[in-house]
Amino acid sequence: MDSGFEVANKGCCGTGNIEVSVLCTRYSPGTCNDSSKYIFWDSYHPSEKGYEVIIPLVFDSQVHKFF
């Protein structure tokens, strides 16, 4: 099954080790060419694609608690 995601050994930004990078942009060295293919932006924060996957799972299972 092709999920449409690339597999990498590190996040799309930063070194991919246990750290987060504040000033990562598409122009930063080592940043993925197409971050929409990856779930994690750096070693801690999800990418936009990551949030697209995570939010529906969390929201759908928890929204009933608010109403």
Side-chain angles (χ1 to χ4, degrees):
M1 182 172 123
D2 182 13
S3 65
F5 296 112
E6 302 270 338
V7 176
N9 294 324
K10 65 178 192 162
C12 276
C13 187
T15 66
N17 296 321
I18 310 277
E19 49 70 44
V20 294
S21 295
V22 177
L23 299 176
C24 288
T25 70
R26 63 182 177 185
Y27 305 111
S28 299
T31 301
C32 299
N33 291 332
D34 186 356
S35 62
S36 68
K37 293 181 178 179
Y38 297 86
I39 295 292
F40 279 92
W41 177 248
D42 57 24
S43 59
Y44 186 76
H45 299 97
S47 62
E48 181 178 353
K49 180 58 74 178
Y51 283 115
E52 287 176 11
V53 171
I54 294 167
I55 294 301
L57 296 173
V58 173
F59 184 79
D60 291 347
S61 68
Q62 301 298 317
V63 71
H64 71 278
K65 294 180 180 180
F66 294 100
F67 301 102

